[in-house]
Amino acid sequence: MTNSLVPPAGPQRTLALAQLTNSVGDGAYYVTSALYFTHVVGLAPARVGLGLTLAWAVGSLVGVPLGRLADRRGPRGTAVLLALATGLAVASFLVVRGFVPFVIAACAYASAQSGLAAARQALLAGLVSAGERTGLLAHLQSTLNAGLAVGAGLGGLALRAGTRSAYLGVFALDALSFLVCAGLLVRLPSVRGVQVRKAGGLGVLRDRPYVVVTLLNTVLLLRMPLLSLGLPLWIAERTDAPTWLVSALFVLNTGAVMVFQVRMARGITGLASATRAVRRSGWIMLAACAVFALSAGASPWVAVGALVLGAVLQVAAEMGQSAGSWQLSFDLAPADRVGEYQGFFGTGVTVARTMGPLVLTSLLLEWGTPGWLLLGGATVVASYAMGPAARRATAAGRAAGEEAGDAGAVNRQPALAS
């Protein structure tokens, strides 16, 4: 695996360019959308929050069937259509003027985004060998952070202008970014759809070991709102550190992922190394939580030091957990149902984004130091449970293949070493 920040030429680089294109648009959208919907459209903040929660709930539900569609009809064509659908959904925000149209447009946006993520993963699996997938996903994560940073800067210019035209320009940019993304994806080699084995109406939900792995990964992802919500509130209400540190910690996290994510993923080549990475990240996250807790009641500069050290540990844990979970999500999925399985695995992100704010504010602001330690302890427990869960999923996949009378019916890795 190369240590370069730029992936190899060919399909891998095209996938990265597609990721960069729409992440720039998304970065601008993320920093301006809340104010656009409240100040320009005129919706109450509570209604915006309710509408987005409903939208992402719908998106998490349709991600699996859209992933299944990518498996059957071919992931490239499905990804192109969903990229265009996402751009169209973003463009529809330009004409939204009420709550119900907003919810409809938001549901369309979240559904297309969830399906696009699943189709892209299936496309990646069809174009890149198993040994290169985690490395490419590390490149894509770095690219994502770079694009979001650029987009956030463009969105900041719109916020500074504060005009209706500036906000509309951001939404037009995001819609255009998905159009360009679709144009890049269509240049990739076609990946044929597969004849998916009949699995019943529940599909991936019948694969209980994979469901357990997904649930454990969701617990590990509860730290996602930490930088955007948990730490800002902690710094403001429980420490004497300056509030500008919130921005500095965000830049530190984004920059570290851009520079080091590929390096962190280099040694992960199979299920055994993936579970070790997840387990190690659990301990690092516990250490980060303990250091964050030390910032309460300390002098301003001691608090700053603790928060910066905690942020360094937290981003190290994040990169290790991300790389390990990518490997697990692919290696434990049947070869003929990657899109469906990735659609389900991706619901963990939605659940974490929905539940994370409530969990973090309850633990950190109400419980203080014990809350930090409980968060870190839960991370360690979930990370250690991942190994046995992955072994059971591997055994279940082998048994299913033998039952089908075809050793390749379920393409999962050999059993993990103890």
Side-chain angles (χ1 to χ4, degrees), residues 38 47 57 100 106 120 175 188 199:
T38 54
R47 285 201 152 196
V100 173
R120 273 177 154 174
L188 290 167

Side-chain angles (χ1 to χ4, degrees), residues 64-356:
V64 172
L66 288 175
R68 190 180 301 167
L69 178 67
D71 292 329
R72 292 177 176 176
R73 300 300 182 185
R76 188 191 68 174
T78 305
V80 169
L81 289 176
L82 288 171
L84 294 174
T86 306
L88 182 62
V90 173
S92 71
F93 286 130
L94 296 172
V95 295
V96 163
R97 294 295 179 269
F99 178 67
V100 173
F102 163 69
V103 172
I104 294 173
C107 286
Y109 172 77
S111 299
Q113 279 274 46
S114 298
L116 176 59
R120 273 177 154 174
Q121 299 292 68
L123 180 59
L124 183 152
L127 294 176
V128 180
S129 66
E132 296 178 309
R133 290 173 190 166
T134 297
L136 176 56
L137 285 166
H139 279 297
L140 295 180
Q141 186 71 9
S142 299
T143 302
L144 172 66
N145 277 265
L148 291 176
V150 173
L154 296 175
L157 295 176
L159 290 176
R160 183 175 182 180
T163 64
R164 175 186 175 85
S165 297
Y167 285 118
L168 294 180
V170 166
F171 279 78
L173 172 66
D174 196 19
L176 179 63
S177 74
F178 281 98
L179 178 62
V180 176
C181 172
L184 289 168
L185 292 175
V186 81
R187 294 170 51 192
L188 290 167
S190 178
V191 176
R192 294 181 59 184
V194 294
Q195 186 64 39
V196 180
R197 291 173 293 109
K198 188 175 181 179
L202 294 178
V204 64
L205 294 178
R206 293 168 59 90
D207 191 341
R208 293 181 181 177
Y210 195 88
V211 171
V212 171
V213 169
T214 301
L215 290 175
L216 291 172
N217 189 62
T218 302
V219 173
L220 299 176
L221 290 175
L222 289 176
R223 46 86 183 156
M224 290 186 67
L226 195 59
L227 280 177
S228 61
L229 180 68
L231 277 175
L233 293 177
W234 173 262
I235 290 171
E237 298 190 18
R238 290 297 194 105
T239 78
D240 293 324
T243 54
W244 55 259
L245 187 64
V246 172
S247 177
L249 295 182
F250 184 86
V251 172
L252 185 155
N253 180 277
T254 304
V257 172
M258 288 171 54
V259 175
F260 296 111
Q261 182 67 81
V262 175
R263 183 188 298 272
M264 290 287 289
R266 185 168 52 182
I268 300 176
T269 56
L271 292 177
S273 55
T275 54
R276 283 196 300 270
V278 171
R279 190 163 56 240
R280 184 167 55 247
S281 73
W283 284 112
I284 297 174
M285 188 64 193
L286 175 60
C289 290
V291 173
F292 280 137
L294 294 176
S295 63
S299 66
W301 291 110
V302 171
V304 168
L307 290 165
V308 170
L309 176 58
V312 170
L313 292 171
Q314 185 269 327
V315 73
E318 174 187 333
M319 290 187 289
Q321 184 268 325
S322 295
S325 67
W326 294 332
Q327 188 80 34
L328 291 170
S329 70
F330 276 106
D331 284 0
L332 296 177
D336 60 348
R337 297 166 67 192
V338 173
E340 177 186 349
Y341 272 58
Q342 288 297 315
F344 179 72
F345 197 80
T347 62
V349 174
T350 303
V351 173
R353 284 176 173 167
T354 303
M355 295 181 56

